[in-house]
CSV table of all heavy atoms in Angstrom, one decimal:
chain,number,residue,atom,x,y,z
K,1,PRO,N,81.7,130.8,32.8
K,1,PRO,CA,81.2,130.1,31.7
K,1,PRO,C,80.9,131.0,30.5
K,1,PRO,O,80.6,132.2,30.7
K,1,PRO,CB,79.9,129.5,32.2
K,1,PRO,CG,79.8,129.9,33.6
K,1,PRO,CD,80.9,130.8,34.0
K,2,GLN,N,81.0,130.5,29.3
K,2,GLN,CA,80.7,131.3,28.2
K,2,GLN,C,79.2,131.2,27.9
K,2,GLN,O,78.6,130.1,27.8
K,2,GLN,CB,81.5,130.8,27.0
K,2,GLN,CG,81.4,131.7,25.8
K,2,GLN,CD,82.3,131.2,24.6
K,2,GLN,OE1,83.0,130.2,24.8
K,2,GLN,NE2,82.3,131.9,23.6
K,3,VAL,N,78.6,132.4,27.8
K,3,VAL,CA,77.1,132.5,27.6
K,3,VAL,C,76.8,133.6,26.6
K,3,VAL,O,77.7,134.4,26.3
K,3,VAL,CB,76.3,132.7,28.9
K,3,VAL,CG1,76.6,131.6,29.9
K,3,VAL,CG2,76.7,134.1,29.5
K,4,ARG,N,75.6,133.6,26.1
K,4,ARG,CA,75.2,134.7,25.3
K,4,ARG,C,74.6,135.8,26.2
K,4,ARG,O,73.5,135.6,26.7
K,4,ARG,CB,74.2,134.2,24.3
K,4,ARG,CG,73.7,135.3,23.3
K,4,ARG,CD,72.8,134.8,22.2
K,4,ARG,NE,72.4,135.9,21.5
K,4,ARG,CZ,71.2,136.0,21.0
K,4,ARG,NH1,70.3,135.0,21.2
K,4,ARG,NH2,70.8,137.1,20.3
K,5,ALA,N,75.3,136.9,26.3
K,5,ALA,CA,74.8,138.0,27.1
K,5,ALA,C,73.8,138.9,26.3
K,5,ALA,O,74.1,139.3,25.2
K,5,ALA,CB,76.0,138.9,27.6
K,6,LEU,N,72.6,139.0,26.8
K,6,LEU,CA,71.6,139.8,26.2
K,6,LEU,C,71.6,141.3,26.7
K,6,LEU,O,71.2,142.2,26.0
K,6,LEU,CB,70.2,139.2,26.3
K,6,LEU,CG,70.1,137.8,25.7
K,6,LEU,CD1,68.7,137.3,25.9
K,6,LEU,CD2,70.4,137.9,24.2
K,7,ASN,N,71.9,141.4,28.0
K,7,ASN,CA,71.8,142.8,28.6
K,7,ASN,C,72.7,142.8,29.9
K,7,ASN,O,72.3,142.1,30.9
K,7,ASN,CB,70.4,143.2,28.9
K,7,ASN,CG,70.3,144.6,29.4
K,7,ASN,OD1,71.3,145.3,29.5
K,7,ASN,ND2,69.1,145.0,29.7
K,8,PRO,N,73.8,143.5,29.8
K,8,PRO,CA,74.7,143.5,31.0
K,8,PRO,C,74.2,144.4,32.1
K,8,PRO,O,74.8,144.4,33.2
K,8,PRO,CB,76.0,143.9,30.5
K,8,PRO,CG,75.7,144.8,29.3
K,8,PRO,CD,74.4,144.2,28.7
K,9,VAL,N,73.2,145.2,31.9
K,9,VAL,CA,72.7,146.2,32.9
K,9,VAL,C,72.2,145.4,34.1
K,9,VAL,O,71.4,144.5,34.0
K,9,VAL,CB,71.6,147.1,32.3
K,9,VAL,CG1,71.0,147.9,33.4
K,9,VAL,CG2,72.1,147.9,31.1
K,10,GLY,N,72.8,145.7,35.2
K,10,GLY,CA,72.4,145.1,36.5
K,10,GLY,C,73.2,143.8,36.8
K,10,GLY,O,73.0,143.3,37.9
K,11,ALA,N,74.1,143.4,35.9
K,11,ALA,CA,74.8,142.2,36.2
K,11,ALA,C,75.8,142.4,37.4
K,11,ALA,O,75.9,141.5,38.2
K,11,ALA,CB,75.6,141.8,34.9
K,12,GLY,N,76.3,143.6,37.5
K,12,GLY,CA,77.2,143.8,38.7
K,12,GLY,C,76.4,143.8,40.0
K,12,GLY,O,76.9,143.3,41.0
K,13,ASP,N,75.2,144.4,39.9
K,13,ASP,CA,74.4,144.3,41.1
K,13,ASP,C,74.0,142.9,41.5
K,13,ASP,O,74.0,142.5,42.6
K,13,ASP,CB,73.1,145.1,40.9
K,13,ASP,CG,73.3,146.6,40.7
K,13,ASP,OD1,74.4,147.1,41.2
K,13,ASP,OD2,72.5,147.3,40.1
K,14,ALA,N,73.7,142.1,40.4
K,14,ALA,CA,73.4,140.7,40.7
K,14,ALA,C,74.6,139.9,41.2
K,14,ALA,O,74.4,139.1,42.1
K,14,ALA,CB,72.9,140.0,39.4
K,15,LEU,N,75.8,140.3,40.7
K,15,LEU,CA,77.0,139.6,41.3
K,15,LEU,C,77.1,139.9,42.8
K,15,LEU,O,77.3,139.0,43.6
K,15,LEU,CB,78.2,140.2,40.5
K,15,LEU,CG,79.5,139.6,41.0
K,15,LEU,CD1,80.5,139.4,39.8
K,15,LEU,CD2,80.2,140.4,42.0
K,16,MET,N,76.9,141.2,43.1
K,16,MET,CA,77.0,141.5,44.6
K,16,MET,C,75.9,140.9,45.4
K,16,MET,O,76.2,140.5,46.5
K,16,MET,CB,77.0,143.1,44.7
K,16,MET,CG,78.2,143.8,44.2
K,16,MET,SD,79.8,143.1,44.9
K,16,MET,CE,79.6,143.4,46.6
K,17,ALA,N,74.8,140.7,44.8
K,17,ALA,CA,73.7,140.0,45.5
K,17,ALA,C,74.0,138.6,45.8
K,17,ALA,O,73.8,138.1,46.9
K,17,ALA,CB,72.4,140.1,44.7
K,18,GLY,N,74.7,137.9,44.8
K,18,GLY,CA,75.1,136.6,45.0
K,18,GLY,C,76.2,136.4,46.1
K,18,GLY,O,76.1,135.5,46.9
K,19,VAL,N,77.1,137.4,46.1
K,19,VAL,CA,78.1,137.4,47.1
K,19,VAL,C,77.5,137.6,48.5
K,19,VAL,O,77.8,136.9,49.4
K,19,VAL,CB,79.2,138.5,46.8
K,19,VAL,CG1,80.1,138.7,48.0
K,19,VAL,CG2,80.0,138.1,45.6
K,20,ALA,N,76.6,138.6,48.6
K,20,ALA,CA,75.9,138.8,49.9
K,20,ALA,C,75.1,137.6,50.4
K,20,ALA,O,75.2,137.3,51.5
K,20,ALA,CB,75.0,140.1,49.7
K,21,TRP,N,74.5,137.0,49.4
K,21,TRP,CA,73.7,135.8,49.8
K,21,TRP,C,74.6,134.7,50.3
K,21,TRP,O,74.3,134.1,51.4
K,21,TRP,CB,72.9,135.3,48.5
K,21,TRP,CG,72.1,134.1,48.7
K,21,TRP,CD1,70.8,134.1,49.1
K,21,TRP,CD2,72.5,132.7,48.5
K,21,TRP,NE1,70.4,132.8,49.2
K,21,TRP,CE2,71.4,131.9,48.8
K,21,TRP,CE3,73.6,132.1,48.0
K,21,TRP,CZ2,71.4,130.5,48.7
K,21,TRP,CZ3,73.7,130.7,47.9
K,21,TRP,CH2,72.6,130.0,48.3
K,22,ALA,N,75.7,134.5,49.7
K,22,ALA,CA,76.6,133.4,50.1
K,22,ALA,C,77.3,133.8,51.5
K,22,ALA,O,77.5,133.0,52.3
K,22,ALA,CB,77.7,133.1,49.1
K,23,LEU,N,77.6,135.1,51.6
K,23,LEU,CA,78.2,135.6,52.8
K,23,LEU,C,77.3,135.4,54.0
K,23,LEU,O,77.7,135.0,55.1
K,23,LEU,CB,78.6,137.1,52.6
K,23,LEU,CG,79.4,137.8,53.8
K,23,LEU,CD1,80.7,137.1,54.0
K,23,LEU,CD2,79.6,139.2,53.4
K,24,ALA,N,76.0,135.7,53.8
K,24,ALA,CA,75.1,135.6,54.9
K,24,ALA,C,74.9,134.1,55.3
K,24,ALA,O,74.5,133.9,56.5
K,24,ALA,CB,73.7,136.1,54.4
K,25,ARG,N,75.3,133.2,54.5
K,25,ARG,CA,75.2,131.8,54.8
K,25,ARG,C,76.6,131.2,55.3
K,25,ARG,O,76.7,130.1,55.5
K,25,ARG,CB,74.7,131.0,53.6
K,25,ARG,CG,73.2,131.2,53.5
K,25,ARG,CD,72.7,131.0,52.1
K,25,ARG,NE,71.3,131.2,52.0
K,25,ARG,CZ,70.7,132.4,52.0
K,25,ARG,NH1,71.5,133.5,52.1
K,25,ARG,NH2,69.4,132.5,51.9
K,26,GLY,N,77.6,132.1,55.5
K,26,GLY,CA,78.9,131.7,56.1
K,26,GLY,C,79.7,130.9,55.1
K,26,GLY,O,80.6,130.2,55.6
K,27,MET,N,79.6,131.1,53.9
K,27,MET,CA,80.3,130.3,52.9
K,27,MET,C,81.8,130.8,52.8
K,27,MET,O,82.0,132.0,53.1
K,27,MET,CB,79.7,130.3,51.5
K,27,MET,CG,78.3,129.6,51.5
K,27,MET,SD,77.6,129.6,49.9
K,27,MET,CE,76.0,128.9,50.3
K,28,ALA,N,82.7,130.0,52.3
K,28,ALA,CA,84.1,130.3,52.1
K,28,ALA,C,84.2,131.3,50.9
K,28,ALA,O,83.3,131.4,50.1
K,28,ALA,CB,84.9,129.0,51.8
K,29,ILE,N,85.3,132.0,50.9
K,29,ILE,CA,85.5,133.0,49.8
K,29,ILE,C,85.4,132.4,48.4
K,29,ILE,O,84.9,133.1,47.5
K,29,ILE,CB,86.8,133.7,50.1
K,29,ILE,CG1,86.8,135.0,49.2
K,29,ILE,CG2,88.0,132.8,49.8
K,29,ILE,CD1,87.8,136.0,49.6
K,30,GLU,N,85.8,131.2,48.2
K,30,GLU,CA,85.7,130.6,46.9
K,30,GLU,C,84.2,130.4,46.5
K,30,GLU,O,83.8,130.6,45.3
K,30,GLU,CB,86.4,129.2,46.8
K,30,GLU,CG,87.9,129.3,47.0
K,30,GLU,CD,88.3,129.2,48.4
K,30,GLU,OE1,87.5,129.2,49.4
K,30,GLU,OE2,89.6,129.2,48.7
K,31,GLU,N,83.4,130.1,47.5
K,31,GLU,CA,82.0,129.9,47.2
K,31,GLU,C,81.3,131.3,47.0
K,31,GLU,O,80.4,131.4,46.2
K,31,GLU,CB,81.3,129.2,48.4
K,31,GLU,CG,81.8,127.8,48.6
K,31,GLU,CD,81.7,127.0,47.3
K,31,GLU,OE1,80.6,126.8,46.8
K,31,GLU,OE2,82.7,126.5,46.8
K,32,LEU,N,81.8,132.3,47.7
K,32,LEU,CA,81.3,133.7,47.5
K,32,LEU,C,81.5,134.1,46.0
K,32,LEU,O,80.6,134.6,45.4
K,32,LEU,CB,82.0,134.7,48.4
K,32,LEU,CG,81.8,134.6,49.9
K,32,LEU,CD1,82.7,135.6,50.6
K,32,LEU,CD2,80.4,134.7,50.3
K,33,ALA,N,82.7,133.8,45.6
K,33,ALA,CA,83.1,134.2,44.2
K,33,ALA,C,82.2,133.4,43.2
K,33,ALA,O,81.7,133.9,42.2
K,33,ALA,CB,84.6,133.9,43.9
K,34,ARG,N,82.0,132.1,43.4
K,34,ARG,CA,81.3,131.3,42.5
K,34,ARG,C,79.8,131.7,42.4
K,34,ARG,O,79.2,131.8,41.3
K,34,ARG,CB,81.3,129.8,42.9
K,34,ARG,CG,82.7,129.2,42.6
K,34,ARG,CD,82.7,127.7,43.1
K,34,ARG,NE,81.9,126.9,42.2
K,34,ARG,CZ,81.4,125.7,42.4
K,34,ARG,NH1,81.7,125.1,43.6
K,34,ARG,NH2,80.7,125.0,41.6
K,35,TRP,N,79.2,132.0,43.6
K,35,TRP,CA,77.8,132.4,43.6
K,35,TRP,C,77.7,133.8,43.0
K,35,TRP,O,76.7,134.1,42.3
K,35,TRP,CB,77.2,132.4,45.0
K,35,TRP,CG,76.8,131.0,45.4
K,35,TRP,CD1,77.4,130.2,46.4
K,35,TRP,CD2,75.8,130.2,44.8
K,35,TRP,NE1,76.8,129.0,46.4
K,35,TRP,CE2,75.8,129.0,45.5
K,35,TRP,CE3,74.8,130.4,43.8
K,35,TRP,CZ2,74.9,127.9,45.2
K,35,TRP,CZ3,73.9,129.4,43.5
K,35,TRP,CH2,74.0,128.2,44.2
K,36,GLY,N,78.6,134.7,43.2
K,36,GLY,CA,78.6,136.0,42.6
K,36,GLY,C,78.7,136.0,41.1
K,36,GLY,O,77.9,136.6,40.4
K,37,VAL,N,79.7,135.2,40.6
K,37,VAL,CA,79.8,135.1,39.2
K,37,VAL,C,78.6,134.5,38.5
K,37,VAL,O,78.1,134.9,37.5
K,37,VAL,CB,81.1,134.3,38.8
K,37,VAL,CG1,81.1,133.9,37.3
K,37,VAL,CG2,82.3,135.1,39.2
K,38,ALA,N,78.1,133.4,39.2
K,38,ALA,CA,76.9,132.8,38.6
K,38,ALA,C,75.7,133.7,38.6
K,38,ALA,O,74.9,133.7,37.6
K,38,ALA,CB,76.5,131.5,39.5
K,39,SER,N,75.5,134.5,39.6
K,39,SER,CA,74.4,135.4,39.7
K,39,SER,C,74.5,136.5,38.6
K,39,SER,O,73.5,136.9,37.9
K,39,SER,CB,74.3,136.1,41.1
K,39,SER,OG,74.1,135.1,42.1
K,40,GLY,N,75.7,137.1,38.5
K,40,GLY,CA,75.9,138.1,37.5
K,40,GLY,C,75.8,137.6,36.1
K,40,GLY,O,75.2,138.3,35.2
K,41,THR,N,76.3,136.4,35.8
K,41,THR,CA,76.2,135.8,34.5
K,41,THR,C,74.7,135.5,34.2
K,41,THR,O,74.3,135.8,33.0
K,41,THR,CB,77.0,134.5,34.5
K,41,THR,OG1,78.4,134.8,34.8
K,41,THR,CG2,76.9,133.8,33.1
K,42,ALA,N,74.0,134.9,35.1
K,42,ALA,CA,72.6,134.6,34.8
K,42,ALA,C,71.8,135.9,34.5
K,42,ALA,O,70.9,135.9,33.6
K,42,ALA,CB,72.0,133.9,36.0
K,43,ALA,N,72.1,137.0,35.2
K,43,ALA,CA,71.4,138.2,35.0
K,43,ALA,C,71.7,138.8,33.6
K,43,ALA,O,70.8,139.3,32.9
K,43,ALA,CB,71.8,139.3,36.1
K,44,ALA,N,72.9,138.7,33.2
K,44,ALA,CA,73.3,139.2,31.8
K,44,ALA,C,72.7,138.4,30.7
K,44,ALA,O,72.5,138.9,29.6
K,44,ALA,CB,74.8,139.2,31.7
K,45,MET,N,72.2,137.2,31.0
K,45,MET,CA,71.6,136.3,30.0
K,45,MET,C,70.2,136.7,29.6
K,45,MET,O,69.6,136.2,28.7
K,45,MET,CB,71.7,134.9,30.4
K,45,MET,CG,73.1,134.3,30.5
K,45,MET,SD,73.2,132.7,31.2
K,45,MET,CE,72.1,131.7,30.1
K,46,HIS,N,69.6,137.6,30.4
K,46,HIS,CA,68.2,138.0,30.2
K,46,HIS,C,68.1,139.4,29.5
K,46,HIS,O,68.9,140.3,29.8
K,46,HIS,CB,67.5,138.1,31.6
K,46,HIS,CG,67.2,136.8,32.2
K,46,HIS,ND1,66.0,136.1,32.0
K,46,HIS,CD2,67.9,136.0,33.0
K,46,HIS,CE1,66.1,135.0,32.6
K,46,HIS,NE2,67.2,134.9,33.2
K,47,ALA,N,67.2,139.5,28.6
K,47,ALA,CA,66.9,140.8,28.1
K,47,ALA,C,66.2,141.6,29.1
K,47,ALA,O,65.4,141.1,30.0
K,47,ALA,CB,66.0,140.6,26.8
K,48,GLY,N,66.4,142.9,29.2
K,48,GLY,CA,65.8,143.7,30.2
K,48,GLY,C,66.6,143.5,31.5
K,48,GLY,O,67.7,143.0,31.6
K,49,THR,N,66.0,144.0,32.6
K,49,THR,CA,66.7,144.0,33.9
K,49,THR,C,66.0,143.1,34.9
K,49,THR,O,66.2,143.2,36.1
K,49,THR,CB,66.8,145.4,34.5
K,49,THR,OG1,65.5,146.0,34.6
K,49,THR,CG2,67.7,146.3,33.6
K,50,GLY,N,65.3,142.1,34.4
K,50,GLY,CA,64.6,141.2,35.3
K,50,GLY,C,65.6,140.2,36.0
K,50,GLY,O,66.7,140.0,35.5
K,51,ALA,N,65.3,139.7,37.1
K,51,ALA,CA,66.1,138.8,37.8
K,51,ALA,C,66.1,137.3,37.2
K,51,ALA,O,65.1,136.9,36.7
K,51,ALA,CB,65.7,138.7,39.3
K,52,ALA,N,67.2,136.7,37.3
K,52,ALA,CA,67.3,135.3,36.9
K,52,ALA,C,66.7,134.4,38.0
K,52,ALA,O,66.5,134.8,39.2
K,52,ALA,CB,68.8,134.9,36.7
K,53,THR,N,66.3,133.2,37.7
K,53,THR,CA,65.7,132.3,38.7
K,53,THR,C,66.8,131.6,39.4
K,53,THR,O,68.0,131.6,39.0
K,53,THR,CB,64.8,131.2,38.0
K,53,THR,OG1,65.7,130.4,37.2
K,53,THR,CG2,63.8,131.8,37.1
K,54,ARG,N,66.5,131.1,40.6
K,54,ARG,CA,67.4,130.4,41.4
K,54,ARG,C,68.0,129.2,40.7
K,54,ARG,O,69.1,128.9,40.7
K,54,ARG,CB,66.8,129.9,42.7
K,54,ARG,CG,67.5,129.0,43.5
K,54,ARG,CD,68.3,129.7,44.6
K,54,ARG,NE,68.7,128.8,45.7
K,54,ARG,CZ,69.8,128.1,45.8
K,54,ARG,NH1,70.6,128.2,44.8
K,54,ARG,NH2,70.1,127.4,46.8
K,55,ALA,N,67.1,128.5,39.9
K,55,ALA,CA,67.6,127.4,39.1
K,55,ALA,C,68.6,127.8,38.1
K,55,ALA,O,69.5,127.0,37.8
K,55,ALA,CB,66.3,126.7,38.5
K,56,GLU,N,68.4,128.9,37.4
K,56,GLU,CA,69.3,129.4,36.4
K,56,GLU,C,70.7,129.7,37.0
K,56,GLU,O,71.7,129.3,36.5
K,56,GLU,CB,68.8,130.6,35.7
K,56,GLU,CG,67.6,130.3,34.8
K,56,GLU,CD,67.0,131.6,34.3
K,56,GLU,OE1,66.9,132.6,35.1
K,56,GLU,OE2,66.5,131.6,33.2
K,57,VAL,N,70.6,130.4,38.2
K,57,VAL,CA,71.9,130.7,38.9
K,57,VAL,C,72.6,129.4,39.3
K,57,VAL,O,73.8,129.3,39.1
K,57,VAL,CB,71.6,131.6,40.1
K,57,VAL,CG1,72.9,131.9,40.9
K,57,VAL,CG2,71.0,133.0,39.6
K,58,ALA,N,71.8,128.5,39.9
K,58,ALA,CA,72.4,127.2,40.4
K,58,ALA,C,73.1,126.4,39.2
K,58,ALA,O,74.1,125.8,39.4
K,58,ALA,CB,71.4,126.4,41.1
K,59,ALA,N,72.5,126.4,38.0
K,59,ALA,CA,73.0,125.7,36.9
K,59,ALA,C,74.3,126.3,36.5
K,59,ALA,O,75.3,125.6,36.1
K,59,ALA,CB,72.0,125.7,35.7
K,60,ILE,N,74.4,127.6,36.5
K,60,ILE,CA,75.6,128.3,36.1
K,60,ILE,C,76.7,128.1,37.2
K,60,ILE,O,77.9,127.9,36.9
K,60,ILE,CB,75.4,129.8,35.8
K,60,ILE,CG1,74.5,129.9,34.6
K,60,ILE,CG2,76.7,130.6,35.6
K,60,ILE,CD1,74.0,131.3,34.3
K,61,TYR,N,76.3,128.2,38.4
K,61,TYR,CA,77.2,128.0,39.6
K,61,TYR,C,78.0,126.7,39.4
K,61,TYR,O,79.2,126.6,39.7
K,61,TYR,CB,76.4,127.9,40.9
K,61,TYR,CG,77.1,127.5,42.1
K,61,TYR,CD1,77.9,128.4,42.8
K,61,TYR,CD2,77.1,126.1,42.5
K,61,TYR,CE1,78.6,128.0,43.9
K,61,TYR,CE2,77.8,125.7,43.6
K,61,TYR,CZ,78.6,126.6,44.3
K,61,TYR,OH,79.3,126.2,45.4
K,62,GLU,N,77.3,125.6,38.9
K,62,GLU,CA,77.9,124.3,38.7
K,62,GLU,C,79.1,124.4,37.7
K,62,GLU,O,80.0,123.6,37.7
K,62,GLU,CB,76.9,123.3,38.3
K,62,GLU,CG,75.9,122.9,39.4
K,62,GLU,CD,76.6,122.4,40.7
K,62,GLU,OE1,77.6,121.7,40.6
K,62,GLU,OE2,76.1,122.7,41.8
K,63,GLN,N,79.0,125.4,36.8
K,63,GLN,CA,80.1,125.5,35.8
K,63,GLN,C,81.2,126.4,36.2
K,63,GLN,O,82.3,126.4,35.6
K,63,GLN,CB,79.4,126.1,34.5
K,63,GLN,CG,78.3,125.3,33.9
K,63,GLN,CD,77.7,126.0,32.8
K,63,GLN,OE1,78.4,126.5,31.9
K,63,GLN,NE2,76.4,126.0,32.8
K,64,VAL,N,81.0,127.2,37.3
K,64,VAL,CA,82.0,128.2,37.7
K,64,VAL,C,83.1,127.5,38.6
K,64,VAL,O,82.7,126.7,39.5
K,64,VAL,CB,81.4,129.3,38.5
K,64,VAL,CG1,82.5,130.3,39.0
K,64,VAL,CG2,80.4,130.1,37.6
K,65,ARG,N,84.3,127.7,38.3
K,65,ARG,CA,85.4,127.1,39.1
K,65,ARG,C,86.2,128.3,39.7
K,65,ARG,O,86.5,129.3,39.1
K,65,ARG,CB,86.4,126.3,38.2
K,65,ARG,CG,85.7,125.1,37.6
K,65,ARG,CD,85.3,124.1,38.6
K,65,ARG,NE,84.5,123.0,38.1
K,65,ARG,CZ,83.2,122.9,38.3
K,65,ARG,NH1,82.6,123.7,39.1
K,65,ARG,NH2,82.5,121.9,37.8
K,66,ALA,N,86.5,128.1,41.0
K,66,ALA,CA,87.3,129.1,41.7
K,66,ALA,C,88.3,128.4,42.6
K,66,ALA,O,88.0,127.4,43.2
K,66,ALA,CB,86.4,130.1,42.5
K,67,GLU,N,89.5,128.9,42.7
K,67,GLU,CA,90.5,128.4,43.7
K,67,GLU,C,91.2,129.5,44.3
K,67,GLU,O,91.4,130.5,43.7
K,67,GLU,CB,91.4,127.4,43.0
K,67,GLU,CG,92.3,128.0,41.9
K,67,GLU,CD,93.2,127.0,41.2
K,67,GLU,OE1,92.7,126.2,40.5
K,67,GLU,OE2,94.4,127.1,41.5
K,68,ARG,N,91.6,129.2,45.5
K,68,ARG,CA,92.3,130.2,46.3
K,68,ARG,C,93.8,130.2,45.9
K,68,ARG,O,94.4,129.1,45.8
K,68,ARG,CB,92.2,129.9,47.8
K,68,ARG,CG,92.9,131.0,48.7
K,68,ARG,CD,92.7,130.6,50.1
K,68,ARG,NE,91.3,130.7,50.4
K,68,ARG,CZ,90.8,131.4,51.5
K,68,ARG,NH1,91.7,131.9,52.3
K,68,ARG,NH2,89.6,131.4,51.8
K,69,ILE,N,94.3,131.3,45.6
K,69,ILE,CA,95.8,131.5,45.3
K,69,ILE,C,96.4,132.2,46.5
K,69,ILE,O,96.2,133.4,46.7
K,69,ILE,CB,96.0,132.2,44.0
K,69,ILE,CG1,95.3,131.4,42.9
K,69,ILE,CG2,97.5,132.4,43.8
K,69,ILE,CD1,95.4,132.2,41.5
K,70,ASP,N,97.2,131.5,47.3
K,70,ASP,CA,97.9,132.2,48.4
K,70,ASP,C,99.2,132.8,47.9
K,70,ASP,O,100.0,132.2,47.3
K,70,ASP,CB,98.2,131.1,49.5
K,70,ASP,CG,96.9,130.6,50.1
K,70,ASP,OD1,96.0,131.4,50.4
K,70,ASP,OD2,96.8,129.4,50.3
K,71,ALA,N,99.3,134.1,48.2
K,71,ALA,CA,100.5,134.8,47.7
K,71,ALA,C,101.6,134.7,48.7
K,71,ALA,O,101.5,134.5,49.9
K,71,ALA,CB,100.1,136.3,47.5
């Protein structure tokens, strides 16, 4: 999703946290990607390096689309 990024510091860490969270719950790879992107995006929307709320991440998650491409 297109958002206004205030601070990208820690967004990659947040992305990995979202992936790990989804992985721990046994979600499919598409869901891992969606939760990761949502977590990283939400983190970048905050000034400073504070964590986004679960509600913020969930709202962004609803906007993220992912599909498996089999090669």
Side-chain angles (χ1 to χ4, degrees):
Q2 188 172 3
V3 299
R4 181 173 176 220
L6 298 178
N7 186 359
V9 174
D13 294 335
L15 181 143
M16 290 308 299
V19 168
W21 180 86
L23 184 62
R25 285 157 180 74
M27 295 182 187
I29 194 161
E30 295 88 355
E31 298 305 302
L32 298 177
R34 289 180 69 197
W35 282 111
V37 169
S39 298
T41 301
M45 293 171 59
H46 287 268
T49 56
T53 67
R54 169 98 160 87
E56 290 169 326
V57 174
I60 294 169
Y61 170 85
E62 292 300 325
Q63 300 174 48
V64 177
R65 299 291 171 251
E67 65 182 69
R68 184 180 293 228
I69 300 174
D70 295 316

